Amino acid sequence: MAGPRVVIIGAGVVGAALADELSARGWTEVTVVDQGPLPATGGSSSHAPGLVFQANPSKTMTELARYTVEKFCSLDVDGQPCFLQVGGLEVATTPERVTELHRRHGWLTAWGVESQILTADECVETHPLVNRERVLAGLHIPTDGLAKAVLAVEAQIRRATGRGVTFLARHEVLDVLRADGEVTGVRTDQGDLQADIVVCCAGIWGPRIARMVGMNLPLTPLAHQLAWTGPVPALAGQTEEAVRPILRHQDADLYYRDRHDTLGIGYYGHRPMPITADDILSFDEAEEMPSVLKFTEDDFADAWTETQSLLPATKDAKVEEGINGLFSFTTDGLPLLGESPDVKGFWVAEAVWVTHSAGVGRAVAEWLVDGHCSSFDLHECDVNRFEPHQLSPEYVLARDCQNFVEVYDILHPLEPAGDPRPIRTSPFHTRQQELGAFFLEANGWERPHWYEANAGLVQGRSILTPNDWAARYWSPIVGAEAQTTRETVAMYDMTALKRLEVSGRGAADLLERLCTGKVAKSVGSVTYTLLLDHDGGIRSDITVARLAPDLFQVGANGNLDLDWFTRHLPADGTVQVRDITPGTCCIGLWGPLARDVLQPLADEDFSATGLKYFRAKRAHIGSVPVTAMRLSYVGELGWELYTTADLGRKLWDTLWRAAQPLGGIAAGRGAFNSLRLEKGYRSFGTDMTYEHDPYEAGVSFAVKADKDDFVGKAALERRRADVRRRLTCLTIEDPRAVVMGKEPVYDGRRAVGYVTSAAFGYTIGKGIAYAWLPAELAVPGTSLHIGYFDQRVAAVVAEEPLFDPAMSRLRG
């Protein structure tokens, strides 16, 4: 199988890896073009220091790095290895960093990568140059090491060439050719190349190439300092390139690597130095190479002072050379992978460092050849994940620079986003400010986490303060709001929930084809259902409300759902999909007294029979027209009430006045998370992702196996008989041991899974953690432990849901 004609733009570590992986899968009509010479093309790969650290809070990024390590270890060029597996060592010089190393050790354990916490003495044994007086502890990852990026490029070029792939050096791309919304080829300064698929792997030039097809790539090249010492006397006689582990001193934004008797020093502690892709010189114009800018010594002064303190042997050496090397940064620190939403056949594999390069090559090759990626969950890397405001130049530059500054920082899972902020505010924002809302950001929306106006509700309640880490961006008010929701009634701002409108005479047929549930039901029906990929993995969980014969409202999880629907639109124009989120808003009115608030205000019947559970109707609440859906993500009686943005504040004020005499409150996301976990409600992207199927994730009730064919049905039927892992509810008795997510779960000494979502259950009085576990351990009563920093927290598998299993409160 020769496959389609593919042109890959860029022959660095990503382009070479993709060509190798595609050709290994039988696609050999592949041409790789680069403006520079091979194998050192002049991009980031050509100057990269090559450090590969696998520790990452993202499971996907760790797995991409692990595959890169495995592949590079197997590659050589004429006997020269492409990877020096010397291990990696991260050292802590502050108590806060010691704690962080335990958290990072937890990630590695959760994701299946071997690592150990070292004492200060063991750090010095492992890396003898380290000053024993400076370090407190370390994290050692034996499989980390040094990627020889240019050699890896050459090795993969050789493999791909042997299968028939063509590599063209010194071919500058001038344009991407297209017709009728599809790519047809690439124009270079040496002629045109026909193509059915074009993949942009241009790295720091990526935004310029993507702009040729009208695609806005949220990527900024930023300069990062790398210096080399002269000979270090303590390393005299070292004939091997590297014998010590690569070393990270993240408290000072520094990293180090051997190079025979000299040391390389990388530094992130200087000011951000962004540059536009258009300002990068060509290969022939650049003094050394396009991705290398002149070293700015003043920016490096603090780095050298700190290096001499941490590694005293460097006092006998000097900094003899240095560069400001360009690397790609994105707004969320993750790669940009996938197909353009507007031009069919134009793909990107951008913002990928050497660390993840081979993994990305495999992932994109699978995606292209099979139509989906089976080896990695790519939902957080998909280039189509961004909201429109996240593509604005101001936003991209600010957040990319912020990610550069924070690259080695200790970041809490709830760490507030930086500037620009605020960006999106609901119509309720002014009222929420008046109530003392503590805001965190969600998809650009300012979303209350709790309200200081509810501080008085804490009195008389037993709400214990959790451990110091869990108590950040937390207040006891969270617990009071959760309990009050169960006691009376609360208003929740649900505006940040993505809302799509699917309309047209073909709308029902499209939704039936994409959804696992039956959604073409009577007008007024609301269906919880899943979107699956072709391999049966969960792409999203959504609600579909039929508001008219040819009109549906979809409660979605993000822009990827909009992209998925758009890509499956029929060519005959019988279906339209649009994002109605910006022009609408939503209040969740939930609690046992919710009907007492709503019914006196309404011109429709909101009794238990007047609007049944999982039904919708149009009504007026006071003078405000709403779409009311009888749904509850907190497990209480109530409704999601939607209206247009211009009427949002009027809706808030109307409900607020009616709720006050009944003890009603406004409640925030902190309470919401606690309540939804007590009910066992899953959160896509956290509890379940593309790698999981409905039977594993405990949402098989959303699959109607007897319905006509839907996307993923055949694959799902094959997976049904082989469930080896399950998303499982754990409870924790210790009220201070509130875990945060991504911690390893242990059966005895053996790590067996990892936590997804976690919170304290203020109704049940216990900590809650959902975790992926082997199926044989997902049995109620099974005793396990969760690795939380340097502690082991006792937990037990519990029946779910933990609250109101009979669903009586929801259906009342």
Side-chain angles (χ1 to χ4, degrees):
M1 173 176 87
R5 296 167 301 179
V6 179
V7 172
I8 298 173
I9 301 172
V13 282
V14 181
L18 178 56
D20 181 34
E21 297 284 345
L22 281 175
S23 60
R25 287 162 175 77
W27 281 22
T28 54
E29 286 196 45
V30 178
T31 302
V32 185
V33 298
D34 201 293
Q35 62 183 340
L38 299 176
T41 62
S44 300
S45 304
S46 300
H47 75 257
L51 283 77
V52 175
F53 282 93
Q54 297 166 85
N56 198 290
S58 165
K59 180 173 181 283
T60 296
M61 295 297 279
T62 293
E63 289 175 342
L64 291 170
R66 179 166 54 197
Y67 180 79
T68 301
V69 168
E70 293 170 355
K71 183 175 183 180
F72 282 8
C73 282
S74 71
L75 298 177
D76 71 90
V77 174
D78 300 330
Q80 299 179 76
C82 294
F83 194 78
L84 306 178
Q85 201 160 42
V86 292
L89 176 64
E90 302 181 12
V91 294
T93 58
T94 63
E96 293 79 11
R97 186 66 63 175
V98 173
T99 302
E100 173 71 356
L101 292 187
H102 282 284
R103 184 167 72 127
R104 297 173 69 80
H105 172 59
W107 295 338
L108 289 161
T109 305
W111 314 148
V113 177
E114 179 190 355
S115 65
Q116 301 87 30
I117 295 291
L118 304 185
T119 65
D121 289 336
E122 289 170 331
C123 289
V124 176
E125 291 175 13
T126 306
H127 198 299
L129 298 186
V130 169
N131 182 355
R132 173 62 181 81
E133 301 304 314
R134 289 294 315 279
V135 298
L136 303 176
L139 173 64
H140 183 235
I141 306 97
T143 52
D144 284 349
L146 288 166
K148 307 289 289 179
V150 174
L151 282 179
V153 169
E154 184 172 359
Q156 291 175 104
I157 286 176
R158 290 186 182 185
R159 284 158 54 115
T161 302
R163 302 187 191 104
V165 173
T166 301
F167 285 81
L168 300 176
R170 293 290 192 167
H171 279 61
E172 181 182 358
V173 173
L174 304 177
D175 199 6
V176 177
L177 307 176
R178 55 203 184 279
D180 300 322
E182 300 184 20
V183 298
T184 59
V186 170
R187 175 156 294 158
T188 78
D189 59 353
Q190 298 192 43
D192 293 352
L193 300 168
Q194 292 183 320
D196 305 302
I197 295 171
V198 174
V199 187
C200 178
C201 302
I204 53 178
W205 290 277
R208 192 175 78 188
I209 301 297
R211 204 163 54 240
M212 294 175 182
V213 298
M215 189 175 182
N216 189 357
L217 211 59
L219 180 159
T220 303
L222 280 109
H224 157 59
Q225 290 198 305
L226 175 65
W228 295 96
T229 70
V232 178
L235 304 183
Q238 181 176 317
T239 57
E240 295 181 63
E241 179 178 349
V243 295
R244 277 162 288 278
I246 53 177
L247 177 67
R248 284 208 283 192
H249 176 25
Q250 291 166 298
D251 284 322
D253 298 303
L254 285 161
Y255 64 77
Y256 306 92
R257 58 150 295 177
D258 288 12
R259 188 177 68 177
H260 302 293
D261 62 349
T262 69
L263 286 177
I265 307 168
Y267 187 44
Y268 287 104
H270 55 79
R271 60 192 168 92
M273 293 184 269
I275 187 173
T276 68
D278 293 329
D279 290 335
I280 301 172
L281 299 176
S282 69
F283 192 91
D284 292 327
E285 293 172 325
E287 182 176 336
E288 183 173 347
M289 65 178 75
S291 61
V292 169
L293 306 181
K294 184 178 179 180
F295 187 62
T296 51
E297 292 185 16
D298 290 347
D299 290 304
F300 195 73
D302 290 344
W304 182 234
T305 299
E306 181 62 25
T307 295
Q308 291 176 305
S309 175
L310 182 73
L311 307 175
T314 58
K315 293 179 180 178
D316 299 321
K318 295 181 179 180
V319 174
E320 293 198 351
E321 56 182 306
I323 63 170
N324 286 3
L326 294 176
F327 288 95
S328 300
F329 281 79
T330 61
T331 56
D332 57 8
L334 294 165
L336 308 173
L337 313 179
E339 187 179 19
S340 161
D342 301 313
V343 180
K344 185 177 180 181
F346 183 81
W347 289 66
V348 299
E350 289 290 346
V352 181
W353 293 4
V354 174
T355 298
H356 309 102
S357 59
V360 166
R362 178 178 178 177
V364 176
E366 288 182 357
W367 199 348
L368 286 167
V369 174
D370 301 331
H372 58 85
C373 177
S374 57
S375 295
F376 309 97
D377 163 36
L378 297 181
H379 86 274
E380 61 185 3
C381 303
D382 193 312
V383 70
N384 298 296
R385 64 189 181 268
F386 300 102
E387 295 291 322
H389 73 272
Q390 294 173 320
L391 300 175
S392 69
E394 179 188 41
Y395 181 95
V396 170
L397 179 61
R399 291 292 171 91
D400 288 357
C401 289
Q402 179 183 344
N403 277 324
F404 175 88
V405 171
E406 294 178 346
V407 70
Y408 279 173
D409 286 0
I410 299 172
L411 299 177
H412 191 273
L414 297 177
E415 193 87 22
D419 290 333
R421 189 181 170 204
I423 298 175
R424 309 172 85 179
T425 56
S426 79
F428 323 130
H429 187 253
T430 300
R431 295 292 186 253
Q432 292 165 344
Q433 288 179 309
E434 292 168 356
L435 293 171
F438 177 82
F439 292 101
L440 294 176
E441 185 185 325
N443 293 324
W445 293 98
E446 294 295 316
R447 184 167 65 187
H449 216 60
W450 69 80
Y451 293 88
E452 288 296 330
N454 295 326
L457 297 174
V458 176
Q459 295 179 8
R461 300 177 186 272
S462 179
I463 300 172
L464 299 179
T465 301
N467 58 81
D468 291 345
W469 185 249
R472 294 190 188 183
Y473 312 110
W474 175 89
S475 166
I477 298 171
V478 168
E481 290 179 355
Q483 292 177 356
T484 302
T485 303
R486 297 252 188 258
E487 296 161 359
T488 58
V489 62
M491 295 164 53
Y492 288 82
D493 182 358
M494 300 299 291
T495 302
L497 174 71
K498 189 82 162 178
R499 293 174 291 286
L500 308 177
E501 182 182 271
V502 183
S503 60
R505 58 185 174 85
D509 290 339
L510 172 67
L511 289 167
E512 282 292 319
R513 185 162 60 88
L514 295 181
C515 296
T516 61
K518 295 179 180 179
V519 298
K521 298 184 291 191
S522 62
V523 172
S525 64
V526 183
T527 306
Y528 174 82
T529 185
L530 307 174
L531 303 177
L532 302 183
D533 213 328
H534 296 278
D535 65 347
I538 300 170
R539 286 195 65 93
S540 190
D541 66 333
I542 61 175
T543 55
V544 179
R546 191 170 201 174
L547 304 181
D550 295 339
L551 177 65
F552 296 82
Q553 182 172 310
V554 175
N557 280 299
N559 215 56
L560 291 181
D561 293 342
L562 174 61
D563 181 68
W564 185 251
F565 282 124
T566 303
R567 291 182 188 279
H568 287 86
L569 289 176
D572 59 9
T574 58
V575 186
Q576 295 79 46
V577 177
R578 68 187 185 102
D579 182 0
I580 62 172
T581 313
T584 56
C585 57
C586 179
I587 294 175
L589 181 71
W590 295 314
L593 301 184
R595 185 174 286 119
D596 297 324
V597 173
L598 191 65
Q599 187 61 77
L601 303 171
D603 63 349
E604 293 285 342
D605 183 5
F606 281 92
S607 67
T609 55
L611 186 60
K612 295 181 179 179
Y613 188 50
F614 265 81
R615 298 288 297 180
K617 69 163 59 173
R618 296 256 173 79
H620 288 87
I621 306 303
S623 59
V624 180
V626 302
T627 299
M629 299 186 195
R630 192 166 167 200
L631 311 175
S632 173
Y633 208 51
V634 301
E636 292 291 337
L637 170 68
W639 299 266
E640 292 178 358
L641 302 171
Y642 298 89
T643 192
T644 51
D646 59 323
L647 292 170
R649 193 158 82 171
K650 182 64 174 177
L651 177 62
W652 179 281
D653 289 346
T654 301
L655 293 171
W656 182 254
R657 282 194 298 268
Q660 288 298 284
L662 301 175
I665 63 167
R669 192 70 178 183
F672 179 93
N673 284 333
S674 171
L675 297 170
R676 71 103 176 164
L677 286 177
E678 289 183 333
K679 283 298 294 180
Y681 293 147
R682 277 61 169 148
S683 174
F684 178 80
T686 303
D687 298 316
M688 54 190 185
T689 66
Y690 292 3
E691 67 178 304
H692 306 118
D693 69 50
Y695 304 107
E696 299 170 326
V699 289
S700 59
F701 64 87
V703 178
K704 303 304 179 187
D706 60 341
K707 69 174 284 188
D708 292 338
D709 194 27
F710 55 83
V711 172
K713 182 179 181 182
L716 191 60
E717 290 173 349
R718 293 191 296 270
R719 294 173 72 150
R720 182 176 187 175
D722 190 27
V723 177
R724 301 183 183 183
R725 58 184 175 179
R726 293 191 184 277
L727 183 62
T728 308
C729 179
L730 304 175
T731 57
I732 303 166
E733 291 292 338
D734 184 350
R736 283 186 52 81
V738 178
V739 301
M740 299 292 291
K742 302 186 178 182
E743 297 89 358
V745 179
Y746 292 90
D747 178 25
R749 298 176 60 86
R750 180 173 62 109
V752 292
Y754 59 91
V755 174
T756 57
S757 294
F760 191 80
Y762 296 100
T763 311
I764 67 167
K766 296 179 181 180
I768 307 168
Y770 272 77
W772 280 101
L773 297 176
E776 63 272 17
L777 293 177
V779 178
T782 303
S783 295
L784 300 165
H785 285 85
I786 298 172
Y788 191 55
F789 296 99
D790 59 346
Q791 306 168 22
R792 294 290 177 92
V793 176
V796 62
V797 176
E799 290 274 9
E800 58 172 333
L802 298 169
F803 177 77
D804 189 26
M807 306 281 280
S808 59
R809 296 172 74 100
L810 280 167
R811 300 181 184 277

